Amino acid sequence: KQEVTQIPAALSVPEGENLVLNCSFTDSAIYNLQWFRQDPGKGLTSLLLIQSSQREQTSGRLNASLDKSSGRSTLYIAASQPGDSATYLCAVRRGATNKLIFGTGTLLAVQP
Amino acid sequence: EAQVTQNPRYLITVTGKKLTVTCSQNMNHEYMSWYRQDPGLGLRQIYYSMNVEVTDKGDVPEGYKVSRKEKRNFPLILESPSPNQTSLYFCASSSGQAVMNTEAFFGQGTRLTVV
């Protein structure tokens, strides 16, 4: 059974710091991995999608990497800003059912 | 604009009163699904649909029904809501092809409280 874990559960950093969020999964047979951002009480916004054949994807200050063999992905946020404060979720897609299996998220607070 | 639209955004209801949460997508996606999000448990899939008239149970289907009569709509039905169904609900859609660049899009969520 696929399990997805995110560490740390919560993180507080001062503005301007570079930071890394971690996501690990137990079954490497995935189609892709998607990183989402969730603001309090709001929906999920897709940040980055990494296909299983890719090693990394970049969008602005965000860079996501994928190491399928070790079952790990990281989300790197450069020069963090207070507006980056949110919960970050990773999810892996497996099988023909297109099902997403989510981690429980990392709550990020960027202090001004 | 490509989007998944859920309604209502907030709903307070009483135990046993049937309700429907609507979901609509404008991306011509074959695959749609419903998730619930609870503190400490994360997001769990309730039901999914691979295409029109094709639905199947997810991980936590008890107490819920769905239908898929049209490609764009995928309503979630609670025939007799109970307090343990108080949760934040999300509808999602994606292309039906199980390929590596399939990306999921989510609605804004429906916060349901059953008293």
Side-chain angles (χ1 to χ4, degrees):
Chain A
K1 178 185 173 186
Q2 178 73 275
E3 292 183 1
V4 182
T5 305
Q6 291 187 246
I7 295 173
L11 181 63
S12 180
V13 300
E15 182 176 4
E17 271 204 10
N18 302 324
L19 58 99
V20 174
L21 307 180
N22 297 293
C23 172
S24 61
F25 47 95
T26 55
D27 186 347
S28 63
I30 63 171
Y31 276 87
N32 57 40
L33 184 146
Q34 202 165 347
W35 281 94
F36 295 89
R37 168 188 173 135
Q38 184 178 22
D39 294 285
K42 300 285 182 66
L44 278 69
T45 301
S46 179
L47 298 173
L48 288 164
L49 174 79
I50 311 180
Q51 300 176 31
S52 61
S53 59
Q54 296 176 324
R55 297 284 292 182
E56 66 178 84
Q57 279 288 336
T58 298
S59 176
R61 294 183 294 109
L62 305 180
N63 176 278
S65 68
L66 176 64
D67 184 342
K68 251 183 57 170
S69 61
S70 67
R72 291 184 179 185
S73 176
T74 62
L75 179 66
Y76 174 82
I77 303 177
S80 58
Q81 304 170 358
D84 294 329
S85 298
T87 296
Y88 290 80
L89 297 158
C90 69
V92 298
R93 174 174 283 98
R94 51 170 290 188
T97 64
N98 265 339
K99 179 179 178 178
L100 283 174
I101 300 171
F102 282 85
T104 50
T106 294
L107 177 61
L108 172 65
V110 181
Q111 309 299 332
Chain B
E1 180 189 354
Q3 60 185 5
V4 179
T5 303
Q6 292 178 229
N7 280 296
R9 293 289 312 281
Y10 303 92
L11 180 59
I12 301 175
T13 191
V14 297
T15 298
K17 185 176 181 182
K18 180 180 178 180
L19 66 91
T20 299
V21 184
T22 64
C23 174
S24 181
Q25 50 92 6
N26 63 1
M27 295 167 279
N28 202 37
H29 284 161
E30 293 86 1
Y31 184 87
M32 297 185 74
S33 59
W34 278 100
Y35 292 83
R36 61 177 289 174
Q37 185 178 35
D38 302 289
L41 297 176
L43 282 110
R44 296 174 292 168
Q45 191 183 59
I46 302 170
Y47 267 95
Y48 66 93
S49 169
M50 300 286 282
N51 214 324
V52 176
E53 301 293 359
V54 181
T55 64
D56 208 346
K57 297 177 181 179
D59 297 318
V60 288
E62 293 78 18
Y64 304 95
K65 285 177 57 176
V66 293
S67 68
R68 188 90 181 274
K69 293 183 170 52
E70 307 166 278
K71 197 172 188 179
R72 64 183 293 126
N73 296 323
F74 190 46
L76 179 70
I77 303 158
L78 285 73
E79 295 264 354
S80 182
S82 62
N84 65 9
Q85 293 178 297
T86 293
S87 187
L88 181 57
Y89 291 86
F90 289 103
C91 179
S93 76
S94 62
S95 165
Q97 299 175 17
V99 293
M100 289 188 289
N101 63 351
T102 299
E103 183 176 1
F105 296 85
F106 280 75
Q108 286 297 98
T110 295
R111 184 165 293 282
L112 172 65
T113 302
V114 183
V115 299

